[in-house]
Amino acid sequence: MNEIAPLEQFSPDPVAEVCARAPVGLLAELTHRCPLQCPYCSNPLELDRVNTELTTAEWQDVMRQAAELGILQIHLSGGEPTLRKDLEDIVDVAAKAGLYTNLITAGVTLTEDRLKKLQDLGLDHVQLSIQDVDDANAERMSAYKGGLAKKREVGKWVRKLGMPLTINAPIHRFNIENLPNIIDFAVEMGAGRIEVANIQYYAWALKNRASLMPTRAQVIKSAEIVEEAKERLKGILVFDFVVPDYYAKTPKPCMGGWGRGVMNVTPQGKVLPCHASETIPGLIFDNVKDRRLADIWLNGQAFQKYRGTSWMKEPCRSCPRAEIDFGGCRCQAMAFTGDADNTDPACKFSPYHAAFVSAAEQESAEAAPPPFVYRRMGPIKATSDN
Ligand code: SF4
Ligand code: FES
């Protein structure tokens, strides 16, 4: 599937040039706290507790350092970033530093007044996540009552304020059949962009792979639906289609290549090359409390480890796609093969590829998938309502 993905934005660069270049974006995970409990959560297995989160002043310093480093966009994320009472203070400093600010939110804890205030302080863009456009299914996926109705309101406020809106729709076997309605919802909300994001199975989502994996036929059909809608909605809605790795022949250039374009700061201040990279043993994650962001970007061990192509083993080392997909996803290689140095098993040249595809085919064919393991900050338990 990934062979059809547009790759122009990942045109190869010499490693030296990449190191000298600033990242485009920084994902600021302001908190891991979240009112929702989605089983496909992309946050790590170990969540940062509230008393370990960076202070307001520390986040503000991250914003200033990011601007100095040459970063252009700040994605204020979580968990649910609106649970930080000081979100306004962070947005204020980010905007004054000249950064483009994007709020990534589930919306359910936002008010119209607060959104207006954030806009007045310089918030540029809102990315609103949805679970489904069917109320009951949205509630089942998030374990949160009345979420969809609230999200509709939030979408309307965003557009009423004249702000650009992106709808983020994680896709899996329990909502993939509803994709046409999800696209219609984005149009109805006045969104300019939709992310049709097939679940990526690492961190928490990996626990629920057997529950959430769609069939190959469903995935092919969804790709056709996106292609048709892209044509029909040209000039109205832009599509980001994150294809499901498990049915791919070649992997995605995960993160646009390790240490090439983005960095991620966790609630407690650890700086990661990728939000799931804490699943990889042996990486050393520097903290913004101890080291400057620019120094971490250029010299941090975790950033250097898989930057460029020199770390690669065969088959990647001699592959013509090495500087196109950068060997795929390190976290997926770790999750499926037990070694992050391996080729992403989504690649047809990986010795693990057949087992990888077979896992997806077997799990998605299961008529009675296992119950979700919901994402909770407290004790974790499985429920049997799916
Ligand atoms: Fe990409 Fe490596 Fe597969 Fe080549 S062998 S397509 S570089 S993952
Ligand atoms: Fe970490 Fe792909 S999710 S490199």
Side-chain angles (χ1 to χ4, degrees):
M1 300 293 287
N2 285 334
E3 281 172 337
I4 61 169
L7 294 169
E8 304 80 54
Q9 66 267 45
F10 303 116
S11 63
D13 285 307
V15 174
E17 187 198 323
V18 169
C19 293
R21 194 175 63 187
V24 175
L26 184 144
L27 184 73
E29 293 177 352
L30 300 184
T31 178
H32 277 155
R33 289 170 284 146
C34 185
L36 309 189
Q37 302 175 21
C38 308
Y40 48 75
C41 180
S42 61
N43 281 335
L45 298 185
E46 278 298 316
L47 296 175
D48 291 354
R49 298 280 152 186
V50 61
N51 59 0
T52 66
E53 289 176 7
L54 294 182
T55 64
T56 309
E58 284 165 338
W59 273 119
Q60 289 174 326
D61 188 43
V62 169
M63 300 299 134
R64 291 190 193 98
Q65 285 192 50
E68 280 166 23
L69 173 52
I71 285 173
L72 303 176
Q73 303 162 351
I74 291 288
H75 305 282
L76 300 157
S77 173
E80 175 49 54
T82 60
L83 294 182
R84 288 279 307 214
K85 292 198 177 102
D86 57 358
L87 179 60
E88 286 82 345
D89 304 315
I90 297 166
V91 167
D92 184 32
V93 168
K96 284 190 175 126
L99 296 161
Y100 184 89
T101 50
N102 174 28
L103 178 66
I104 299 178
T105 178
V108 298
T109 47
L110 204 49
T111 64
E112 188 172 6
D113 285 349
R114 194 164 189 213
L115 186 61
K116 172 80 177 73
K117 187 162 184 217
L118 288 166
Q119 185 191 31
D120 290 344
L121 290 166
L123 182 68
D124 292 298
H125 180 276
V126 176
Q127 179 176 313
L128 181 64
S129 63
I130 59 168
Q131 279 67 36
D132 198 349
V133 291
D134 171 84
D135 285 279
N137 199 39
E139 193 168 313
R140 175 171 66 155
M141 296 313 301
S142 59
Y144 187 90
K145 278 195 189 316
L148 180 60
K150 182 67 197 285
K151 286 163 193 274
R152 278 186 197 278
E153 272 187 88
V154 173
K156 283 181 188 153
W157 299 336
V158 174
R159 298 303 295 137
K160 194 167 110 187
L161 290 169
M163 297 173 79
L165 173 69
T166 293
I167 296 293
N168 167 261
I171 300 294
H172 45 78
R173 76 184 276 172
F174 291 100
N175 68 1
I176 195 164
E177 300 291 341
N178 228 354
L179 182 56
N181 296 329
I182 291 172
I183 295 169
D184 288 350
F185 174 88
V187 175
E188 183 194 319
M189 287 287 101
R193 178 176 290 271
I194 183 170
E195 289 182 358
V196 178
N198 279 280
I199 302 297
Q200 307 294 300
Y201 295 98
Y202 19 75
W204 191 268
L206 186 56
K207 286 180 183 289
N208 289 291
R209 190 185 66 190
S211 312
L212 296 170
M213 183 66 75
T215 64
R216 183 188 292 274
Q218 285 178 312
V219 166
I220 290 170
K221 176 84 183 133
S222 71
E224 288 167 2
I225 289 168
V226 167
E227 283 309 305
E228 181 280 324
K230 259 187 193 171
E231 261 320 289
R232 179 168 45 88
L233 298 169
K234 247 186 199 154
I236 298 171
L237 191 63
V238 172
F239 285 77
D240 283 336
F241 186 40
V242 180
V243 293
D245 276 319
Y246 277 71
Y247 299 117
K249 290 187 182 138
T250 53
K252 62 185 178 297
C254 199
M255 309 307 292
W258 186 276
R260 281 186 98 237
V262 288
M263 58 199 317
N264 187 96
V265 180
T266 70
Q268 59 176 265
K270 278 190 267 181
V271 187
L272 317 180
C274 143
H275 63 283
S277 54
E278 287 178 283
T279 56
I280 300 176
L283 295 181
I284 300 166
F285 302 110
D286 295 292
N287 195 297
V288 291
K289 294 183 199 166
D290 309 321
R291 203 169 171 183
R292 303 286 294 169
L293 215 47
D295 187 24
I296 298 172
W297 170 253
L298 288 170
N299 306 310
Q301 183 265 4
F303 282 83
Q304 296 282 24
K305 174 78 180 166
Y306 296 114
R307 184 176 263 148
T309 54
S310 57
W311 59 272
M312 288 178 177
K313 307 192 283 197
E314 293 295 350
C316 294
R317 182 178 283 273
S318 57
C319 179
R321 286 183 59 87
E323 291 194 349
I324 295 173
D325 62 34
F326 301 97
C329 176
R330 296 306 87 231
C331 302
Q332 186 147 269
M334 181 68 223
F336 199 85
T337 76
D339 183 352
D341 292 7
N342 282 338
T343 296
D344 185 335
C347 177
K348 63 187 171 190
F349 301 121
S350 160
Y352 294 87
H353 185 65
F356 188 70
V357 175
S358 164
E361 286 174 342
Q362 282 177 22
E363 288 171 0
S364 64
E366 195 53 64
F372 297 147
V373 185
Y374 282 101
R375 176 88 249 209
R376 296 190 171 107
M377 278 201 96
I380 295 152
K381 63 176 187 189
T383 62
S384 54
D385 56 352
N386 60 322

